[in-house]
């Protein structure tokens, strides 16, 4: 059993729902659970058997991990959540909220972590819950996390890799949030960092548009099957932010907002004013069509999460009805024109047979 046992009192907060004040327990940023979840990516070892913790209480790794637990408890920002396990201290699970002003805004991104037995002389192993989606040059579809601090980046400059005397898992999580999940992830890819190359900015915007769609799909997958021990966080997070996310989708679909420039979400449910000075640019037709396509699935997922998105559902039904009506009118007009053209061609042939103009 771990020497450090964090038993903080549950944090409660008041929220008003449909005019009724409800007391909710706030999901703590750091907590220690008795046992690791079976869906943890490092739960299973070789031969399909449960993996065992190879870190002993007298080892250097044990003392280092205990120290890092205290750092996580004290210093984690409000947008990062971590769960440790008393019976298997070599494992962690973390959730990172996508930063505002990026194509990852309002999303949740999960990582499973394994401390090797010779930690900290070797860096931790971090794997991303990707759902088969490549949302960033540093986060592969197979879950591989490419980061200098983890010594997994293909080219590491001196002083950038893992330092056993200084580096911590706290630094890893903050680096992922700040440096990987950034405003222009396209430039994370090696060889794309030269912003003056013709067409690079356009490619970056297109990449960010695609990333937002993948982030929306990740939200849907998480709500369908949230990671164990974090189901409460997933539901409460998207219950709180559903309206903000859907409003952003509408702004992108209607060309009222540029990708990454939608105002940030505030804890009271309001939106901050956008401070971006970038010129307004109409989003691409492909991006708008992609948002339109993913929007109904988001509505369904958020409704399942318990958020009151009735106004968005009603608006979607109304717009969809108008859209279908417009399609029918367009189809009738096209058929009418086609018939007129066929009739005109028929009579022209008749006139031609009789030598009439």
């Amino acid at each position: 059993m771990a020497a450090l046992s964090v038993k903080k009192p549950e944090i409660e907060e008041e929220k008003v729902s449909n005019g009724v004040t409800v007391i909710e327990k706030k999901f703590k940023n750091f907590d220690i659970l008795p046992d690791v979840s079976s869906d943890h990516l490092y739960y299973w070892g070789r031969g399909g058997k449960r993996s065992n913790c190879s870190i002993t209480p007298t080892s250097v790794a044990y003392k280092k991990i205990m120290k890092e637990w205290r750092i996580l408890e004290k210093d984690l920002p409000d947008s990062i959540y971590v769960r440790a396990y008393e019976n298997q201290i070599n494992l962690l699970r973390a959730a990172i909220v996508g930063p505002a002003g990026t194509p990852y805004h309002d999303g949740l991104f999960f990582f499973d972590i394994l401390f090797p037995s010779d930690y900290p002389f070797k860096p931790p192993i971090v794997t991303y819950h990707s759902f088969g989606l490549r949302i960033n040059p540093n986060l592969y579809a197979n879950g591989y996390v490419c980061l200098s601090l983890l010594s997994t980046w293909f080219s590491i400059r001196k002083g950038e890799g893992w330092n056993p005397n200084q580096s911590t898992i706290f630094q890893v999580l903050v680096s992922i949030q700040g440096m990987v999940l950034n405003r222009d992830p396209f430039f994370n890819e090696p060889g794309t960092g030269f912003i003056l190359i013709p067409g690079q900015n356009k490619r970056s915007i297109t990449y960010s548009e695609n990333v937002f769609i993948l982030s929306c799909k990740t939200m849907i997958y998480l709500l369908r099957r949230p990671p164990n021990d974090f189901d409460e966080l997933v539901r409460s997070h998207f219950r709180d932010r559903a309206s903000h996310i859907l409003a952003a989708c509408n702004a992108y679909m209607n060309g009222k907002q540029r990708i990454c420039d939608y105002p940030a979400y505030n804890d009271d449910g309001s939106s901050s004013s956008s401070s971006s000075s970038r010129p307004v640019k109409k989003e691409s037709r492909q991006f708008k069509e992609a948002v339109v396509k993913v929007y109904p699935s988001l509505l369904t997922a958020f409704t399942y999460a318990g958020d009151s998105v009735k106004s968005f559902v009603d608006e979607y039904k109304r717009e969809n009805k108008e859209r279908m009506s417009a399609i029918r009118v367009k189809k009738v007009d096209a058929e009418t024109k086609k018939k007129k053209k066929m009739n005109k061609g028929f009579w022209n042939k008749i006139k031609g047979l009789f030598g009439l103009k």
Side-chain angles (χ1 to χ4, degrees):
M1 182 177 291
L4 174 65
S5 183
V6 180
K7 299 295 181 184
K8 296 186 293 183
E10 292 289 344
I11 303 172
E12 295 184 345
E13 57 180 15
E14 292 186 0
K15 287 190 177 183
V16 178
S17 178
N18 297 324
V20 179
T21 300
V22 180
I23 304 297
E24 289 188 353
K25 290 182 179 179
K26 187 177 183 299
F27 195 83
K28 292 184 286 187
N29 290 87
F30 179 77
D31 203 359
I32 303 172
L33 305 181
D35 197 7
V36 65
S37 299
S38 60
D39 69 334
H40 194 286
L41 298 176
Y42 296 105
Y43 179 89
W44 301 103
R46 295 180 180 178
K49 296 181 179 180
R50 175 174 175 171
S51 62
N52 295 318
C53 181
S54 58
I55 298 176
T56 61
T58 57
S59 65
V60 174
Y62 185 94
K63 295 177 182 177
K64 174 68 172 176
I65 291 172
M66 291 299 100
K67 182 178 179 181
E68 296 215 26
W69 280 13
R70 288 188 282 270
I71 293 173
L72 292 170
E73 181 196 12
K74 178 177 177 289
D75 296 334
L76 272 179
D78 291 338
S79 52
I80 299 179
Y81 302 85
V82 174
R83 290 296 176 265
Y85 308 98
E86 282 186 333
N87 73 329
Q88 207 152 347
I89 67 166
N90 61 330
L91 301 181
L92 288 179
R93 171 166 285 174
I96 298 176
V97 178
T102 75
Y104 307 97
H105 69 78
D106 301 304
L108 266 181
F109 306 94
F110 282 83
F111 299 84
D112 281 355
I113 300 159
L114 169 67
F115 293 109
S117 59
D118 51 355
Y119 185 78
F121 302 105
K122 285 187 179 179
I125 302 170
V126 182
T127 301
Y128 167 60
H129 285 237
S130 69
F131 301 101
L133 306 174
R134 180 96 184 260
I135 65 165
N136 189 284
N138 298 77
L139 303 176
Y140 288 60
N142 63 1
Y144 183 78
V145 178
C146 192
L147 191 68
S148 296
L149 188 55
L150 293 174
S151 297
T152 54
W153 187 246
F154 81 105
S155 178
I156 304 174
R157 297 176 183 175
K158 187 176 181 180
E160 289 185 349
W162 180 262
N163 185 330
N165 298 319
Q166 297 179 355
S167 302
T168 64
I169 193 64
F170 171 79
Q171 293 174 339
V172 171
L173 296 175
V174 172
S175 295
I176 291 174
Q177 185 180 54
M179 299 174 62
V180 175
L181 304 177
N182 61 39
R183 186 182 187 91
D184 298 298
F186 172 78
F187 294 109
N188 288 15
E189 188 72 45
T192 61
F194 302 101
I195 197 169
L196 297 179
I197 297 177
Q200 289 293 74
N201 276 328
K202 184 177 180 180
R203 294 189 190 99
S204 176
I205 293 171
T206 301
Y207 187 91
S208 293
E209 291 172 346
N210 184 55
V211 162
F212 177 75
I213 300 300
L214 296 180
S215 178
C216 289
K217 291 181 178 179
T218 300
M219 298 177 195
I220 296 168
Y221 293 145
L222 284 173
L223 283 165
R224 287 176 181 171
R225 191 173 182 179
N228 290 348
D229 304 323
F230 283 82
D231 50 343
E232 178 187 341
L233 172 67
V234 171
R235 285 195 297 269
S236 63
H237 175 83
F238 290 116
R239 184 169 59 244
D240 293 342
R241 301 201 182 200
S243 297
H244 186 261
I245 295 167
L246 294 173
C249 288
N250 281 318
Y252 296 148
M253 285 189 290
N254 299 326
K256 295 181 179 179
Q257 202 81 38
R258 183 176 177 175
I259 188 70
C260 301
D261 288 346
Y262 193 76
Y265 170 86
N266 294 325
D267 290 336
D268 60 1
S270 64
S271 297
S272 303
S273 59
S274 177
S275 60
S276 172
S277 60
R278 299 201 304 178
V280 176
K281 168 191 169 295
K282 291 184 178 180
E283 305 297 353
S284 66
R285 178 176 58 83
Q286 292 83 356
F287 176 56
K288 291 180 180 179
E289 290 175 352
V291 177
V292 169
K293 189 174 180 180
V294 78
Y295 191 81
S297 297
L298 278 176
L299 278 176
T300 302
F302 291 153
T303 302
Y304 176 76
D307 185 78
S308 179
V309 293
K310 187 177 183 301
S311 60
F312 289 94
V313 173
D314 293 341
E315 181 69 13
Y316 174 76
K317 288 181 178 178
R318 184 188 64 78
E319 291 182 352
N320 192 55
K321 186 176 180 180
E322 292 177 353
R323 185 162 50 247
M324 295 304 296
S325 178
I327 291 174
R328 284 194 293 270
V329 170
K330 189 176 181 180
K331 185 177 180 180
V332 170
D333 289 345
E335 290 177 350
T336 301
K337 290 180 180 179
K338 184 177 180 180
K339 288 180 180 179
K340 287 182 178 180
K341 187 175 181 180
M342 290 176 65
N343 289 337
K344 184 176 180 181
F346 173 77
W347 287 113
N348 284 339
K349 288 182 180 180
I350 296 296
K351 290 178 182 180
L353 291 174
F354 293 96
L356 301 174
K357 292 184 179 180

